[in-house]
Amino acid sequence: MVARQKWYLSAEPVNGTKSRYGRQGMTDDGNPGAIIEQETEYMHLKSATWTGDAWGGLAGMLVALPSAIAYGVAAITPLGSPFFPLGAMAGVMGVVAMGLSTPAIGGAPRLITAPCAPAAAVLSALISERLAAGGYSPEQILLFLTMVALFSSLLQILYGGIGGGRIIKYIPYPVVTGYLSGVGLIILLSQIPKLLGLPKDASPWRGLIHPDSWQMTSLLVGVATMIGMVVAPKITRQIPAPIIGLLLGMGIYFLSGMTHPELLRLDGNPLLIGVINIDLASLAQGFQGRWQALEQLRLADLSALVLPALTLSALLSIDTLKTCVVVDTLTRSRHQSNRELMAQGTGNFLSALVGGMPGAGTMGATLVSIHSGGQTRFAGILEGLFSLVVLLFFSSLLGWVPIAALSGILMVVAWRMIDWHSLSLVKQRDTLLDFFVVITVVATAVSLNLVAAAGAGVTLAVALFLRDQIKTPVIRRKLSGGQYSSKRNRIPEERALLEQHKNTIIICELQGNLFFGTTDQLYTRLEPDFHRTRYLIFDLSRVQSIDFTAAHMISQIDTMLFENGSHLLLAEPSLAISPGRDPTIYLNHLGLTPSSHLQIFLELEEAVEWVEDQILANDTHNFHNDERPLALQDFPLFKGFEHKQKLDVLDFLAKVVVERSCKSGEVLFRHGDQGDEMYFIRCGSVRIAMTSEDGNNHTVAIFGRGGFFGDMAFIDHAPRSSHAVTIRDTDLFILSRGVFDVVSTKDPHLASHVFARLCKELTLRLRFADAEIMALKNA
């Protein structure tokens, strides 16, 4: 007997245990079974999860916090050393605000969100631009940064709300890698003066060539920190590399202080972050100041905010989604892009309100958290909580962090941000354009600014898209009338006539996007065929979009064909060209309306059949034009006998066939029916169809006057393999195998003649089908 179990909550202990959680067993017949104790296993599992999240949150904080302080100081560097404590505090506040909010509502539960390098680069560049423009006080610049961060966060929420998470992921890789490499190079160059201990306004290039201006203590601290960052992962992964690098750099600094006592002075020391004072009153004051900044936002300020906010929001969104993809791969999970963008925007909005720095889902802190046991969104929340503890109780210690140590951390991060592999793109001719895109974005970011690099990136993204679209052949394959035919089964005389006109039919299977960039390619490929074709069919089933330029080109082709007495047919327009509405209506709106020389068909088969009917109808001696019911002697199947032999066969068949008249839509047989009859069509048409797994009927063939079907069941007595339905009023001759066998015992030689003719016709059908298959394969 199998026990069925259900979870329940109880106010009383279960079986004397102290847990409120239990599980009650029930037998198959519904009688209560024994109560099964599960609280030990449950609590162990829950405890393991909480323990893993706690360690993951702590490890994430140990990575994110030093980096956030470094990013905060880097962002504020253009304002000078008096603002370094403010930058460090902005980094810490960013970790706290985003850590406590974003993981709780995000779509990537294991993600650690904190200030990041792209944010530092954008904010630092904005400060430099404002200082260069002149007329702005530091307070006004900080207010402007707050408004940019707020507006950027609102844009991220908007991206998520309108489904932008999917769009951002499709930005070309050369643009993304160029942008991130540009950010890395900017950070790398901006940290050289701090690594060397140069004065505030010193040029990094001039400082590099004048070693006498270097501050050796600062250089030693920075180099030691970088060595720690690089070597630490090779020694141990239990302690995050930034922590080891920071501790090593601080150790070198305080060892130097033993011989230089002035280094151990905190107040006014340019080599340290400086005094940081934090209390609840200052937090409340900062929160109120950001709200006032939000109230001061006016329409006149939007022109100055739009581009920086767009740049910042796009960078942070891309950085976050890149990390999400990596996490999905490692954890075999799947993030929700749009939800995560909205959560990132919310976290950045709260961070800006409390004076924090904007950020994104960070790769390093997230991976360290996961490897340390972080399994749920609580790891990210705990990372923010641990950072809050550091802020409230240990903020005074942050002032003793050497600036050069933070520079060392940033320079290693920046070096890793640069995609050095992209240099290999220059080796191949096919990737030269991609290399040019990367270099252009990097050069624009370094020589001008990140806003201009964003514009260059978008422009080049469009260029890459156009390049790929133009390089893709718009004509997938081109067939003649002899390589593809309709599903209407033609009698030999009709097939012979169509074979004579096969070169007047061209079927073009188009693909991709038909737009201004591909119209010339389409026209050039078809121009040599215009003079000889009478029927040009465009198969649109693989076309994803058609713009007005492409529609105008198709209209021009139609006019040119009409002047030559030819026809243009558009077949099977894809639903993709007009999502949510009839594609033929969309074509009409583009100016492609049906006329005597332009036809639009929902199925390719209908278009091909229409062309075949037109060719057959234009032949005055064609069997196709006669609609009178056929007699037995008129069927193509029974032609070719010698005169006397033919009379004997017809007399034989007259004894075994019966006549039947059917209305349009009448079912002759269904799939699976038992039957041994073969049907000969005197006049009318019959559709043969098969039912697919999805329940839809698909036309296999259409037989018309002079054709026959049902031959498989007639030969092997097996159940019907398809449906047969008349598509107009139809007269038939029906030949039953049972009756045929009875009569043929008296005239077996005549029966053999009938089977020989039947085998010959079936062989011709197979040969024709094989020829079409090979033509399609080789096209």
Side-chain angles (χ1 to χ4, degrees), residues 4-78:
R4 298 196 309 271
Q5 300 166 341
K6 61 180 182 180
W7 286 100
Y8 71 95
L9 277 173
S10 173
E12 301 296 332
V14 179
N15 274 10
T17 65
K18 296 182 181 181
S19 172
R20 297 179 62 209
Y21 292 88
R23 188 167 64 177
Q24 180 176 348
M26 296 183 66
T27 59
D28 283 337
D29 55 6
N31 295 323
I35 295 178
I36 304 173
E37 300 294 345
Q38 293 289 330
E39 71 281 353
T40 302
E41 180 182 352
Y42 175 78
M43 293 306 294
H44 282 172
L45 178 62
K46 188 174 181 180
S47 175
T49 301
W50 274 101
T51 301
D53 284 341
W55 281 111
L58 180 60
M61 182 272 293
L62 291 176
V63 175
L65 196 60
S67 300
I69 295 172
Y71 296 141
V73 173
I76 212 78
T77 294

Side-chain angles (χ1 to χ4, degrees), residues 16 43 85 97 117 121 171 215 276 281 440 451 497 502 517 533 572 705 777:
M43 293 306 294
I171 296 177
Q215 170 57 256
I276 298 177
T440 300
V451 176
L497 184 58
K502 64 179 182 181
T533 183
E572 209 165 325
R705 182 172 178 266
K777 181 179 179 181

Side-chain angles (χ1 to χ4, degrees), residues 192-216:
I192 291 177
K194 286 185 284 186
L195 176 71
L196 301 178
L198 301 178
K200 173 186 173 183
D201 298 326
S203 168
W205 305 112
R206 184 172 300 177
L208 283 174
I209 61 177
H210 290 88
D212 55 321
S213 63
W214 297 358
Q215 170 57 256
M216 295 309 298

Side-chain angles (χ1 to χ4, degrees), residues 493-652:
E493 289 86 346
E494 292 177 334
R495 286 204 293 265
L497 184 58
L498 292 175
E499 180 68 17
Q500 296 175 15
H501 294 81
K502 64 179 182 181
N503 291 328
T504 65
I505 306 171
I506 295 180
I507 304 171
C508 287
E509 185 179 356
L510 306 183
Q511 66 179 359
N513 300 294
L514 302 183
F515 70 112
F516 62 88
T518 57
T519 53
D520 181 68
Q521 177 195 148
L522 175 63
Y523 186 87
T524 303
R525 288 282 306 276
L526 291 176
E527 188 176 13
D529 301 314
F530 289 153
H531 68 282
R532 67 179 180 87
T533 183
R534 291 295 304 277
Y535 302 95
L536 176 60
I537 302 175
F538 284 160
D539 178 3
L540 305 178
S541 59
R542 293 178 178 270
V543 173
Q544 300 300 309
S545 66
I546 301 177
D547 72 354
F548 184 75
T549 303
H552 179 67
M553 174 61 69
I554 293 175
S555 180
Q556 285 184 317
I557 293 175
D558 172 51
T559 302
M560 186 180 306
L561 292 175
F562 174 66
E563 292 174 351
N564 294 331
S566 303
H567 297 264
L568 176 64
L569 294 83
L570 306 181
E572 209 165 325
S574 168
L575 294 176
I577 67 174
S578 179
R581 57 176 173 169
D582 188 344
T584 58
I585 296 177
Y586 176 72
L587 293 177
N588 293 341
H589 291 166
L590 290 177
L592 299 174
T593 55
S595 63
S596 60
H597 48 88
L598 175 63
Q599 306 290 328
I600 299 178
F601 295 90
L602 294 180
E603 298 288 341
L604 176 62
E605 298 297 334
E606 296 176 358
V608 177
E609 183 178 342
W610 183 89
V611 170
E612 292 175 351
D613 288 344
Q614 294 297 308
I615 293 175
L616 296 174
N618 290 334
D619 183 69
T620 57
H621 303 291
N622 181 35
F623 180 87
H624 177 84
N625 296 320
D626 194 348
E627 285 297 325
R628 292 175 299 174
L630 294 174
L632 273 174
Q633 64 268 22
D634 297 324
F635 276 85
L637 179 64
F638 305 125
K639 293 182 178 180
F641 289 114
E642 294 180 1
H643 180 67
K644 184 178 184 306
Q645 189 181 50
K646 179 178 181 180
L647 293 177
D648 292 340
V649 170
L650 292 176
D651 288 341
F652 172 79

